[in-house]
Amino acid sequence: MSFQHPSFGSVSDDRVIIFDTTLRDGEQSPGFSMNLGEKLRMAHALAALGVDVIEAGFPVASEGDFESVRQIAENVDGSVICALARSGGKRDIEAAGEALKKAKRGRIHNFISTSPLHMKYKLRMAPERVLELIAEGNKQSRQYTDDVEWSAEDGSRTEPDFLCRCVETAIRHGATTINIPDTVGFATPDEMQAIFTMLRERVPGADRVIFSTHNHNDLGLAVGNTLASLEGGARQIECTINGIGERAGNAALEEIVMALRTRHDRYGLNTQIETPRLLSVSRLLAATTGFDVQPNKAIVGRNAFAHESGIHQDGVLKHAGTYEIMTPESVGWNSTSLVLGKHSGRAAFRDKLRALGYEEIDDATFAAAFKRFKELADQKKVVFDDDVRALVDEEGRDHDRVELKSLTLQGGTRHAAHVSLEMTVDGELRQVEAEGNGPVDAAFRAIGEAFPHEATLALFSVGNVTEGTDAQARTTVRLQEAGRLVDGQGSDADTVVSAARAYIHALNKLLVKRERRAPEELTV
Ligand code: KIV
Ligand code: ZN
């Protein structure tokens, strides 16, 4: 059986549409905000991965969100670009339509809460009003695009008869994809499956739309709920790289895709994801946000294919299938063996960047990253993939308003730590000196003097990018200001410089966040 879709043409019944919301649901969770350049880079990597739909943001939320959706729509090819808007929020839909204007294929994604709890306490709206807004929102969205998705927020806790009415209304007024989220991660797999079976049986017009599932991981069931939804007839899954997202996160793209591929015998469903790119996209996101995945994370964790016990090692040597259900190469492990050193030239460096998923890198970023790579290669014998990711990620922050220019440190056992620092703020050079209780404290005081702010330090942690005493330090700094939380990352062979970079990165993120209105200021 096949189905005609405005963006994908004829879609066969065994095809699963991958809708990635790393840049929207993922990005809105604490510590994961990204600037314009970072979002563009991630969007290119997602398109190269073969993601069908990229949810690029919520344009009405801020000028920054609008601009990133607009630029992704204009510059990223290969995927449908989607913008979020509230059903009935006229300005939301105008902003979404405007931001998507240059997209080759654009989708507007409308949502409104439909559960009794959300309608009564959050929206303070009668069910009939919710139905009106669903109709209005979809009609308005269809003026901009034929590809309209509608979501029932808190759908899994919605009363079944009302959910059917909402979905029928959404389809009648132009939705081509119907998404049922388990917004609070409360549902069980059998319940998610039953919702889709019911909707497909009961709602008139259900055969003309694609059903979509969107699962949060509060009980660790997001991937299970997603797979069960497919058994109920959903054919679009909403997910994020590394499972990032609100609270406990969303369903992890890499886990669902590999479950479908590895258990094709069980599900008989296909995606268009180029699975050997999974690891590099996961690493790219980790380098961009500074949050590594846990070592035992399925597919992309450091231990996912490591066999420690002697019995397992022996088995794998005799026949990999004894303990490996998929090959490491199929998800990108071991695929880039070229290690860089101080004799590596521009061509080798560019090849390495491509292999690591940095497809589109502008000349200025390339030149700056290459220069830092040469400096690092002088300090370290071997430059590993994670070193390269760390330095390209920093040089790629081209929209940063605050930049570190130089840092000189005096300290040791006989002197109080003293830092001389130069940084630019919106291009203007500021030079300061500061002393502190240790070098990091002195560096942070100097930054505070050069760029006064109210934010307080909520977390400071230092790790290493790779192994060995010559490894680069990787620092995370979390700043807090008026309910806003941001994490900045820095890396450098010098731990104090890495800490200063992380602090400055966090300040830049804070500047972006200050522009965003809090969700409660947005009224339907
Ligand atoms: O979790 C949720 O309900 C959402 C919707 C906006 C789709 O993210
Ligand atoms: Zn969500």
Side-chain angles (χ1 to χ4, degrees), residues 1-4 9-17 200 206-207 209-211 230-236 260 264 267-271:
M1 240 178 67
S2 72
F3 163 85
Q4 225 31 51
S10 173
V11 183
S12 71
D13 199 41
D14 62 353
R15 163 110 147 80
V16 177
I17 292 169
R200 290 174 63 237
D207 54 336
V209 297
I210 287 183
F211 281 95
L230 293 175
E231 299 211 76
R235 284 295 177 269
Q236 172 178 287
L260 291 178
H264 195 267
Y267 294 100
L269 296 172
N270 302 301
T271 73

Side-chain angles (χ1 to χ4, degrees), residues 21 24-26 28 55 109 153 179 181-184 214-216 238 240 245-247 249-250:
T21 183
R24 198 278 298 168
D25 213 328
Q28 76 193 33
E55 187 164 49
H109 175 190
E153 190 181 0
N179 181 43
D182 180 30
T183 302
V184 291
H214 176 118
N215 296 283
H216 281 271
E238 303 201 351
T240 58
E246 284 282 6
R247 306 179 310 280
N250 289 61

Side-chain angles (χ1 to χ4, degrees), residues 42-179:
M42 266 316 291
H44 280 296
L46 290 170
L49 179 66
V51 157
D52 299 290
V53 186
I54 296 174
E55 187 164 49
F58 189 12
V60 82
S62 73
E63 273 172 34
D65 283 49
F66 178 90
E67 191 51 22
S68 28
V69 177
R70 196 186 69 74
Q71 292 227 17
I72 291 171
E74 187 170 353
N75 297 302
V76 177
D77 289 334
S79 308
V80 173
I81 307 301
C82 172
L84 187 68
R86 284 161 307 172
S87 292
K90 286 204 173 60
R91 280 199 323 109
D92 289 39
I93 296 168
E94 279 162 19
E98 186 60 30
L100 291 173
K101 232 177 189 166
K102 298 248 170 86
K104 293 205 176 66
R105 292 177 298 161
R107 172 180 298 189
I108 297 182
H109 175 190
N110 294 325
F111 74 101
I112 191 164
S113 291
T114 53
S115 67
L117 199 67
H118 276 221
M119 288 191 293
K120 183 168 177 196
Y121 294 103
K122 191 184 99 167
L123 296 179
R124 298 203 175 103
M125 255 179 221
E128 294 307 316
R129 180 68 186 137
V130 168
L131 289 169
E132 279 168 17
L133 292 180
I134 295 170
E136 279 171 26
N138 285 2
K139 270 194 283 183
Q140 189 190 348
S141 300
R142 284 295 294 252
Q143 292 167 10
Y144 296 96
T145 172
D146 288 345
D147 189 342
V148 171
E149 172 169 335
W150 177 76
S151 280
E153 190 181 0
D154 209 17
S156 60
R157 293 195 298 173
T158 296
E159 197 269 315
D161 287 346
F162 185 62
L163 188 60
C164 287
R165 285 181 70 200
C166 290
V167 170
E168 186 182 346
T169 306
I171 297 174
R172 204 157 7 95
H173 292 93
T176 45
T177 299
I178 298 290
N179 181 43

Side-chain angles (χ1 to χ4, degrees), residues 270-331:
N270 302 301
T271 73
Q272 293 199 341
I273 294 297
E274 287 206 30
T275 63
R277 288 180 181 266
L278 284 170
L279 182 66
S280 70
V281 180
S282 159
R283 289 283 172 94
L284 179 64
L285 180 68
T288 304
T289 59
F291 286 102
D292 285 335
V293 298
Q294 83 260 24
N296 62 325
K297 163 89 173 60
I299 319 296
V300 293
R302 187 165 11 102
N303 292 352
F305 292 90
H307 302 283
E308 179 70 23
S309 106
I311 295 176
H312 287 205
Q313 284 173 352
D314 181 51
V316 169
L317 287 174
K318 286 176 177 149
H319 188 295
T322 51
Y323 289 99
E324 273 181 10
I325 57 168
M326 54 200 149
T327 64
E329 290 76 14
S330 67
V331 299

Side-chain angles (χ1 to χ4, degrees), residues 290 444 457 459-463 473-478 488 490 498-499 502:
F444 285 9
L457 186 68
L459 179 145
F460 172 66
S461 96
V462 186
R474 172 157 45 215
T475 308
T476 299
V477 163
R478 175 170 290 179
S498 131

